[in-house]
């Protein structure tokens, strides 16, 4: 089982298609053993053959991953609001969650900004410190995760990436106070991201929704924060009926906790 998981773990967003030799090298498993495991995974549908004697993740494994209740429920609740938000703002819209010290893009709806960083594509990971989605997620992550990020070395992606731990700490605290975060060209030059948290019917943070735009003006940010916060509230309302029942009682609709009111006077900071 451990070797099978190692074979599957050899695939990532940077290497989605691999030969058996590459799988062997990336997993640390001998080629003959890797080939035997790959063959079994292909017959089951977890892997599929691709051109050039390569393999990729199979549809059956993807179908099973969609059954994860936390993420599937969030995606289902968020997608309608994401399309509506894109229609109102003309911006790309992102849905993301935190996984340890990284963020993962669960879903995205394209907008008018090009090019977009690959981290804003479904299934890709992104740094918490250099993105607005990452900062709002980090604001709810707890002190242990926050300190790991602050002291772990902050990679610079552009000349505007915040790499000073004290400065990042202040931005994360500000995101927690005002209910949203803004990053100006920190992951990709010339691209602005605005994000806020999504809560479930019990008020627990389950993810973040963000906008990608090319405009850095304070006025544009102020105009988009309102629709963004409204979309997050709608997603929370969509999630509210999914709240787990207590003491065996039947599920009842719950009033979603509203994110903290946006202080738009700080939007350009």
């Amino acid at each position: 089982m451990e070797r099978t998981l190692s074979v599957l773990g050899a695939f990532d967003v940077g290497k989605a298609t691999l030969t058996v030799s590459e799988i062997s090298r990336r997993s640390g498993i001998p080629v003959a053993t890797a080939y035997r495991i790959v063959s079994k995974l292909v017959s089951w549908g977890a892997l599929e053959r691709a051109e050039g004697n390569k393999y990729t993740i199979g549809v059956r494994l993807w179908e099973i991953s969609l059954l994860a209740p936390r993420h599937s429920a969030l995606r289902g609740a968020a997608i309608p609001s994401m399309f509506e938000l894109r229609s109102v703002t003309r911006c790309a819209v992102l849905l993301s969650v935190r996984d340890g010290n990284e963020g993962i893009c669960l879903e995205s709806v394209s907008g008018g900004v090009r090019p977009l960083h690959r981290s804003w594509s479904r299934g890709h990971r992104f740094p918490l410190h250099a993105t607005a989605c990452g900062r709002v997620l980090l604001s709810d992550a707890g002190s242990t995760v926050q300190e790991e990020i602050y002291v772990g070395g902050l990679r610079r992606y552009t000349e505007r990436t915040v790499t000073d731990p004290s400065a990042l700490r202040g931005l994360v605290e500000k995101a927690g106070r005002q209910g949203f975060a803004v990053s100006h060209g920190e992951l990709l030059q010339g691209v602005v991201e605005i994000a806020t948290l999504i809560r479930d019917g019990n008020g627990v943070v389950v993810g973040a929704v963000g906008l990608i735009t090319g405009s850095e003006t304070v006025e544009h940010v102020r105009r988009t924060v309102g629709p963004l916060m409204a979309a997050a509230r709608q997603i929370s309302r969509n999630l509210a009926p999914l709240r787990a029942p207590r003491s065996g009682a039947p599920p009842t609709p719950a009033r979603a906790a509203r994110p903290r009111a946006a202080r738009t006077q700080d939007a350009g900071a």
Side-chain angles (χ1 to χ4, degrees), residues 20 23 28 62 70 78 83 111 121 125 141 157 160 174 180 185 187 210 229 232 237 247 255:
V20 171
I23 292 171
W62 177 76
R70 179 164 63 102
F83 276 98
S121 298
R125 293 176 177 266
Y157 294 89
R160 304 186 72 168
K174 181 178 180 180
F180 66 92
L187 187 61
M229 303 289 277
R237 287 192 289 269
S247 303
R255 178 172 297 176

Side-chain angles (χ1 to χ4, degrees), residues 98 101 136-150 172:
R98 182 177 65 85
N101 292 350
V136 290
L137 291 169
L138 192 56
S139 72
D140 183 70
S143 59
T144 300
V145 173
Q146 290 175 356
E147 290 304 318
E148 287 178 358
I149 296 293
Y150 299 148
V172 170

Side-chain angles (χ1 to χ4, degrees), residues 4-5 7-9 11 41 44-48 56-68:
T4 299
L5 294 176
V7 167
L8 293 174
F11 295 85
L41 290 172
W44 187 80
L47 294 180
E48 294 179 356
T56 188
I57 296 296
V59 172
R60 189 172 183 186
L61 191 61
W62 177 76
E63 290 173 337
I64 290 175
S65 70
L66 292 179
L67 298 177

Side-chain angles (χ1 to χ4, degrees), residues 84-215:
E84 182 177 352
L85 183 58
R86 192 272 302 274
S87 177
V88 170
T89 64
R90 304 295 181 185
C91 297
V93 184
L94 316 172
L95 176 68
S96 59
V97 295
R98 182 177 65 85
D99 182 30
N101 292 350
E102 294 180 302
I104 300 177
C105 180
L106 290 186
E107 192 61 73
S108 62
V109 178
S110 62
V113 179
R114 291 294 186 271
L116 289 181
H117 194 277
R118 71 178 186 178
S119 295
W120 295 314
S121 298
R122 185 169 60 182
H124 283 67
R125 293 176 177 266
F126 57 86
L128 298 179
H129 73 282
T131 59
C133 279
R135 285 179 189 162
V136 290
L137 291 169
L138 192 56
S139 72
D140 183 70
S143 59
T144 300
V145 173
Q146 290 175 356
E147 290 304 318
E148 287 178 358
I149 296 293
Y150 299 148
V151 304
L154 303 175
R155 177 181 170 183
R156 182 180 297 279
Y157 294 89
T158 73
E159 61 182 13
R160 304 186 72 168
T161 305
V162 175
T163 57
D164 177 73
S166 297
L168 178 62
R169 188 191 306 272
L171 289 171
V172 170
E173 291 175 353
K174 181 178 180 180
R177 291 194 307 271
Q178 69 184 8
F180 66 92
V182 183
S183 63
H184 295 270
E186 297 183 46
L187 187 61
L188 187 67
Q189 194 70 39
V191 174
V192 177
E193 182 187 358
I194 311 161
T196 190
L197 291 171
I198 300 170
R199 301 174 186 272
D200 66 10
N202 295 314
V204 177
V205 171
V206 293
V209 58
L211 292 173
I212 299 295
T213 176
S215 175

Side-chain angles (χ1 to χ4, degrees), residues 240-254:
L242 305 177
R243 183 177 63 177
R246 298 177 181 177
S247 303
T252 56

